[in-house]
Amino acid sequence: MSLYSSDKTASLESVFQKCDDIYGENIFLRKIYKEDAEDILELYSGEHIALYERAPQMKVLEDAQIFIEEINNHFRYKKRIDWAVVCSNSNKLVGLIGIHSIDVKSLTAEVGYLINIRYTNKGITTEALKHLAGYIFKNTPIYALNAWVHKKNTASIKVCCKAGFKLDNTYDLKDLKDLLLLSLINPKYYI
């Protein structure tokens, strides 16, 4: 069967029918709601956000509300899927994780994540990334997840490595000299 078959495309499209909850030991991933605006504002309002994140720093609650609307529109138009990373014990949104740049022909997608600085170094990001990868590989025909990480962002590189991502040297990165590409191949393709 060809990688370009309509069956694989249909299977990939089915992920956009609803944003499933994904459960881990200490966290769960769920849809992002308009009621999450205060936590989103807290997540994106720190000065650290401009260091490696491509998103603009948020200043007011309205910025977060608009951002949530944009996230939901991206899902509605099948461009990307984002989940709230929520601590199981407190039910607080502490981050976001998602897939984007979904390529139906190569069956690849990029993964991105951001965790509230107050919740870093607790294993939350690694747990979220592992569970997201497991969900994507189980429920879609995606062959590989890729993470583009700034080479000075050692914390993010460690998260990817702990989640099983490996440095990928298959791309010519001359134009992206400050970025590293880490990839995780769907284990079912090793069989």
Side-chain angles (χ1 to χ4, degrees), residues 158-174:
K158 286 179 186 176
V159 163
C160 286
C161 291
K162 287 180 185 177
F165 284 68
K166 305 279 187 237
L167 188 62
D168 189 334
N169 293 317
T170 60
Y171 288 87
D172 182 5
L173 301 176
K174 290 177 187 164

PDB file of all heavy atoms in Angstrom, residues 158-174:
ATOM      1  N   LYS A 158      17.164  17.964  26.335  1.00  0.00           N
ATOM      2  CA  LYS A 158      17.114  16.862  27.304  1.00  0.00           C
ATOM      3  C   LYS A 158      15.735  16.227  27.337  1.00  0.00           C
ATOM      4  O   LYS A 158      15.600  15.006  27.419  1.00  0.00           O
ATOM      5  CB  LYS A 158      17.506  17.356  28.699  1.00  0.00           C
ATOM      6  CG  LYS A 158      18.972  17.623  28.868  1.00  0.00           C
ATOM      7  CD  LYS A 158      19.275  18.135  30.264  1.00  0.00           C
ATOM      8  CE  LYS A 158      20.731  18.540  30.391  1.00  0.00           C
ATOM      9  NZ  LYS A 158      21.034  19.129  31.705  1.00  0.00           N
ATOM     10  N   VAL A 159      14.688  17.057  27.294  1.00  0.00           N
ATOM     11  CA  VAL A 159      13.313  16.539  27.280  1.00  0.00           C
ATOM     12  C   VAL A 159      13.129  15.618  26.077  1.00  0.00           C
ATOM     13  O   VAL A 159      12.613  14.507  26.210  1.00  0.00           O
ATOM     14  CB  VAL A 159      12.280  17.692  27.265  1.00  0.00           C
ATOM     15  CG1 VAL A 159      10.909  17.202  26.850  1.00  0.00           C
ATOM     16  CG2 VAL A 159      12.216  18.378  28.611  1.00  0.00           C
ATOM     17  N   CYS A 160      13.533  16.085  24.908  1.00  0.00           N
ATOM     18  CA  CYS A 160      13.379  15.270  23.699  1.00  0.00           C
ATOM     19  C   CYS A 160      14.142  13.957  23.818  1.00  0.00           C
ATOM     20  O   CYS A 160      13.611  12.891  23.479  1.00  0.00           O
ATOM     21  CB  CYS A 160      13.849  16.044  22.469  1.00  0.00           C
ATOM     22  SG  CYS A 160      12.721  17.340  21.952  1.00  0.00           S
ATOM     23  N   CYS A 161      15.367  14.022  24.293  1.00  0.00           N
ATOM     24  CA  CYS A 161      16.182  12.813  24.419  1.00  0.00           C
ATOM     25  C   CYS A 161      15.562  11.834  25.416  1.00  0.00           C
ATOM     26  O   CYS A 161      15.507  10.630  25.156  1.00  0.00           O
ATOM     27  CB  CYS A 161      17.611  13.164  24.821  1.00  0.00           C
ATOM     28  SG  CYS A 161      18.520  14.004  23.497  1.00  0.00           S
ATOM     29  N   LYS A 162      15.061  12.327  26.544  1.00  0.00           N
ATOM     30  CA  LYS A 162      14.409  11.461  27.536  1.00  0.00           C
ATOM     31  C   LYS A 162      13.149  10.824  26.963  1.00  0.00           C
ATOM     32  O   LYS A 162      12.760   9.735  27.378  1.00  0.00           O
ATOM     33  CB  LYS A 162      14.056  12.250  28.793  1.00  0.00           C
ATOM     34  CG  LYS A 162      15.242  12.600  29.660  1.00  0.00           C
ATOM     35  CD  LYS A 162      14.783  13.387  30.877  1.00  0.00           C
ATOM     36  CE  LYS A 162      15.951  13.855  31.710  1.00  0.00           C
ATOM     37  NZ  LYS A 162      15.493  14.681  32.847  1.00  0.00           N
ATOM     38  N   ALA A 163      12.508  11.497  26.023  1.00  0.00           N
ATOM     39  CA  ALA A 163      11.290  10.969  25.395  1.00  0.00           C
ATOM     40  C   ALA A 163      11.601  10.052  24.218  1.00  0.00           C
ATOM     41  O   ALA A 163      10.690   9.545  23.577  1.00  0.00           O
ATOM     42  CB  ALA A 163      10.398  12.123  24.949  1.00  0.00           C
ATOM     43  N   GLY A 164      12.886   9.842  23.913  1.00  0.00           N
ATOM     44  CA  GLY A 164      13.273   8.911  22.859  1.00  0.00           C
ATOM     45  C   GLY A 164      13.644   9.541  21.531  1.00  0.00           C
ATOM     46  O   GLY A 164      13.974   8.838  20.580  1.00  0.00           O
ATOM     47  N   PHE A 165      13.614  10.870  21.438  1.00  0.00           N
ATOM     48  CA  PHE A 165      13.995  11.547  20.202  1.00  0.00           C
ATOM     49  C   PHE A 165      15.502  11.451  20.019  1.00  0.00           C
ATOM     50  O   PHE A 165      16.253  11.447  20.984  1.00  0.00           O
ATOM     51  CB  PHE A 165      13.578  13.017  20.240  1.00  0.00           C
ATOM     52  CG  PHE A 165      12.110  13.261  20.028  1.00  0.00           C
ATOM     53  CD1 PHE A 165      11.178  12.857  20.971  1.00  0.00           C
ATOM     54  CD2 PHE A 165      11.656  13.916  18.895  1.00  0.00           C
ATOM     55  CE1 PHE A 165       9.834  13.081  20.801  1.00  0.00           C
ATOM     56  CE2 PHE A 165      10.306  14.154  18.704  1.00  0.00           C
ATOM     57  CZ  PHE A 165       9.383  13.731  19.654  1.00  0.00           C
ATOM     58  N   LYS A 166      15.918  11.390  18.772  1.00  0.00           N
ATOM     59  CA  LYS A 166      17.346  11.328  18.425  1.00  0.00           C
ATOM     60  C   LYS A 166      17.683  12.482  17.499  1.00  0.00           C
ATOM     61  O   LYS A 166      16.844  12.928  16.710  1.00  0.00           O
ATOM     62  CB  LYS A 166      17.674  10.016  17.713  1.00  0.00           C
ATOM     63  CG  LYS A 166      17.273   8.766  18.461  1.00  0.00           C
ATOM     64  CD  LYS A 166      18.282   8.411  19.508  1.00  0.00           C
ATOM     65  CE  LYS A 166      17.953   7.059  20.117  1.00  0.00           C
ATOM     66  NZ  LYS A 166      17.780   7.054  21.524  1.00  0.00           N
ATOM     67  N   LEU A 167      18.932  12.934  17.574  1.00  0.00           N
ATOM     68  CA  LEU A 167      19.400  13.977  16.669  1.00  0.00           C
ATOM     69  C   LEU A 167      19.284  13.475  15.235  1.00  0.00           C
ATOM     70  O   LEU A 167      19.700  12.368  14.924  1.00  0.00           O
ATOM     71  CB  LEU A 167      20.840  14.359  16.990  1.00  0.00           C
ATOM     72  CG  LEU A 167      21.405  15.562  16.262  1.00  0.00           C
ATOM     73  CD1 LEU A 167      20.617  16.828  16.594  1.00  0.00           C
ATOM     74  CD2 LEU A 167      22.872  15.764  16.624  1.00  0.00           C
ATOM     75  N   ASP A 168      18.690  14.266  14.382  1.00  0.00           N
ATOM     76  CA  ASP A 168      18.446  13.893  12.988  1.00  0.00           C
ATOM     77  C   ASP A 168      19.336  14.756  12.100  1.00  0.00           C
ATOM     78  O   ASP A 168      19.172  15.964  12.029  1.00  0.00           O
ATOM     79  CB  ASP A 168      16.971  14.115  12.650  1.00  0.00           C
ATOM     80  CG  ASP A 168      16.569  13.569  11.294  1.00  0.00           C
ATOM     81  OD1 ASP A 168      17.444  13.471  10.403  1.00  0.00           O
ATOM     82  OD2 ASP A 168      15.390  13.264  11.128  1.00  0.00           O
ATOM     83  N   ASN A 169      20.272  14.133  11.416  1.00  0.00           N
ATOM     84  CA  ASN A 169      21.210  14.856  10.549  1.00  0.00           C
ATOM     85  C   ASN A 169      20.839  14.743   9.081  1.00  0.00           C
ATOM     86  O   ASN A 169      21.678  14.974   8.210  1.00  0.00           O
ATOM     87  CB  ASN A 169      22.635  14.328  10.763  1.00  0.00           C
ATOM     88  CG  ASN A 169      23.141  14.643  12.137  1.00  0.00           C
ATOM     89  OD1 ASN A 169      22.958  15.745  12.633  1.00  0.00           O
ATOM     90  ND2 ASN A 169      23.770  13.663  12.781  1.00  0.00           N
ATOM     91  N   THR A 170      19.602  14.405   8.773  1.00  0.00           N
ATOM     92  CA  THR A 170      19.222  14.196   7.380  1.00  0.00           C
ATOM     93  C   THR A 170      18.886  15.487   6.655  1.00  0.00           C
ATOM     94  O   THR A 170      18.715  15.480   5.444  1.00  0.00           O
ATOM     95  CB  THR A 170      18.023  13.237   7.271  1.00  0.00           C
ATOM     96  OG1 THR A 170      16.915  13.799   7.983  1.00  0.00           O
ATOM     97  CG2 THR A 170      18.362  11.868   7.833  1.00  0.00           C
ATOM     98  N   TYR A 171      18.773  16.587   7.358  1.00  0.00           N
ATOM     99  CA  TYR A 171      18.447  17.863   6.730  1.00  0.00           C
ATOM    100  C   TYR A 171      19.676  18.753   6.667  1.00  0.00           C
ATOM    101  O   TYR A 171      20.512  18.736   7.559  1.00  0.00           O
ATOM    102  CB  TYR A 171      17.357  18.594   7.524  1.00  0.00           C
ATOM    103  CG  TYR A 171      16.011  17.960   7.391  1.00  0.00           C
ATOM    104  CD1 TYR A 171      15.622  16.932   8.240  1.00  0.00           C
ATOM    105  CD2 TYR A 171      15.122  18.375   6.416  1.00  0.00           C
ATOM    106  CE1 TYR A 171      14.374  16.336   8.121  1.00  0.00           C
ATOM    107  CE2 TYR A 171      13.870  17.793   6.290  1.00  0.00           C
ATOM    108  CZ  TYR A 171      13.510  16.779   7.144  1.00  0.00           C
ATOM    109  OH  TYR A 171      12.282  16.202   7.017  1.00  0.00           O
ATOM    110  N   ASP A 172      19.766  19.538   5.607  1.00  0.00           N
ATOM    111  CA  ASP A 172      20.827  20.523   5.486  1.00  0.00           C
ATOM    112  C   ASP A 172      20.374  21.754   6.274  1.00  0.00           C
ATOM    113  O   ASP A 172      19.417  22.421   5.906  1.00  0.00           O
ATOM    114  CB  ASP A 172      21.047  20.880   4.020  1.00  0.00           C
ATOM    115  CG  ASP A 172      22.175  21.872   3.824  1.00  0.00           C
ATOM    116  OD1 ASP A 172      22.849  22.219   4.821  1.00  0.00           O
ATOM    117  OD2 ASP A 172      22.381  22.297   2.683  1.00  0.00           O
ATOM    118  N   LEU A 173      21.044  22.037   7.371  1.00  0.00           N
ATOM    119  CA  LEU A 173      20.605  23.094   8.278  1.00  0.00           C
ATOM    120  C   LEU A 173      21.382  24.397   8.121  1.00  0.00           C
ATOM    121  O   LEU A 173      21.463  25.186   9.045  1.00  0.00           O
ATOM    122  CB  LEU A 173      20.710  22.601   9.727  1.00  0.00           C
ATOM    123  CG  LEU A 173      19.899  21.353  10.063  1.00  0.00           C
ATOM    124  CD1 LEU A 173      20.164  20.921  11.492  1.00  0.00           C
ATOM    125  CD2 LEU A 173      18.429  21.604   9.852  1.00  0.00           C
ATOM    126  N   LYS A 174      21.931  24.658   6.949  1.00  0.00           N
ATOM    127  CA  LYS A 174      22.706  25.881   6.749  1.00  0.00           C
ATOM    128  C   LYS A 174      21.889  27.129   7.052  1.00  0.00           C
ATOM    129  O   LYS A 174      22.382  28.070   7.656  1.00  0.00           O
ATOM    130  CB  LYS A 174      23.238  25.949   5.312  1.00  0.00           C
ATOM    131  CG  LYS A 174      24.315  24.940   5.030  1.00  0.00           C
ATOM    132  CD  LYS A 174      24.749  24.999   3.577  1.00  0.00           C
ATOM    133  CE  LYS A 174      25.714  23.858   3.305  1.00  0.00           C
ATOM    134  NZ  LYS A 174      25.875  23.622   1.885  1.00  0.00           N
TER     135      LYS A 174
END
